[in-house]
Amino acid sequence: ADAVRFGIMISSPAGNDLMWDETGNEQGRFFINKMWNALKLVKSWEERVDANAKAQNEFAIQWFENRLQEVRTQLDDQFADFRLSESLKTIYSLIWDDFCSWYLEWAKPGFEQPVDKITYEKTISFFEELVQLLHPFMPFVTEDIYHQLNDRKDDIIIKELPKIKDVDTSLTAAGNLLKETITAIRDARNKNKLKPKEPVQLFIQTAEEAIYKPIENIISRQANAESVEFTKENIADSITVV
């Protein structure tokens, strides 16, 4: 039922007639599978939570919290104009791209490594707010995920959304830089036939080191860098990405 609702609503701009197309159902089904896999991943962290582990994902948490506020501000404007198809696309991108493809990759622990309590609790909280945003469009799967994330007696259908907070544009810019940097390094690896598991030495040549400092740890992990250094000089025999 949710897949059908998704397929109809995401391709239904206001005022237009809609020709029925089953491919919309498939897109909805893939989206549900994506959320279900994200649920299994996050719940698998539960047994590895270490209350004494040092918090390691401060930037990822702050960035995604900021993205939630950005998107909720956009959704308010879209709902006010009854742009429901556009609203669903906005939420879809937030969940699929920002949460599943980026945030979970940045926040997830290494193989058999513990998860710090702050990261786990924040990730559960983010997931709950995401399914709450999606609930009017896909009520059944979102209610199910909501109850699986935490043992609770309340229902998402009557849960009030938290108030929207101010957006920090510097966090938005840093997040975009981080995504572009990781993508560029991955592309360079592919072009030069370097396997993802093969460690590299990473040199960052920039006049603004302070911009990279908060995201340095994530870049290192995502790039599989055995070392990260800032440099003012060109490095001989290196692969260069801009």
Side-chain angles (χ1 to χ4, degrees), residues 3 15 22 31 54 90 120 131 136 193 207 212:
E22 285 191 21
F31 187 34
K54 183 182 177 182
T90 300
Y120 179 72
V131 293
K193 298 182 180 178
Y212 282 88

Side-chain angles (χ1 to χ4, degrees), residues 58-147:
E58 185 178 355
F59 176 81
I61 289 168
Q62 289 177 347
W63 170 77
F64 192 75
E65 206 156 23
N66 195 61
R67 275 296 293 145
L68 267 174
Q69 305 316 310
E70 276 188 309
V71 167
R72 287 193 55 204
T73 302
Q74 292 173 23
L75 289 173
D76 268 8
D77 293 338
Q78 291 166 355
F79 287 147
D81 295 334
F82 295 98
R83 289 179 283 150
L84 301 184
S85 174
E86 197 174 323
S87 301
L88 180 53
K89 289 175 184 175
T90 300
I91 299 169
Y92 172 82
S93 177
L94 177 67
I95 294 174
W96 190 293
D97 298 326
D98 293 314
F99 184 68
C100 294
S101 297
W102 290 112
Y103 171 77
L104 290 181
E105 281 296 312
W106 297 347
K108 74 179 181 183
F111 182 64
E112 295 185 347
Q113 295 295 310
V115 184
D116 67 87
K117 191 176 180 183
I118 292 173
T119 297
Y120 179 72
E121 289 179 348
K122 276 291 189 181
T123 303
I124 293 291
S125 173
F126 291 154
F127 212 153
E128 288 174 352
E129 194 166 338
L130 290 171
V131 293
Q132 192 177 7
L133 290 174
L134 183 62
H135 182 71
F137 300 93
M138 304 177 79
F140 302 106
V141 69
T142 51
E143 192 76 72
D144 198 348
I145 290 174
Y146 182 69
H147 283 271

Side-chain angles (χ1 to χ4, degrees), residues 9-53:
M9 296 195 75
I10 205 161
S11 56
S12 306
N16 290 356
D17 291 337
L18 176 69
M19 297 295 289
W20 174 253
D21 186 354
E22 285 191 21
T23 58
N25 294 9
E26 286 195 15
Q27 190 181 1
R29 183 165 58 85
F30 293 149
F31 187 34
I32 290 170
N33 286 344
K34 186 78 170 181
M35 289 188 288
W36 208 255
N37 288 334
L39 172 67
K40 288 195 293 184
L41 172 67
V42 172
K43 291 300 286 183
S44 73
W45 298 354
E46 194 171 14
E47 296 178 355
R48 296 156 62 186
V49 173
D50 183 351
N52 298 316

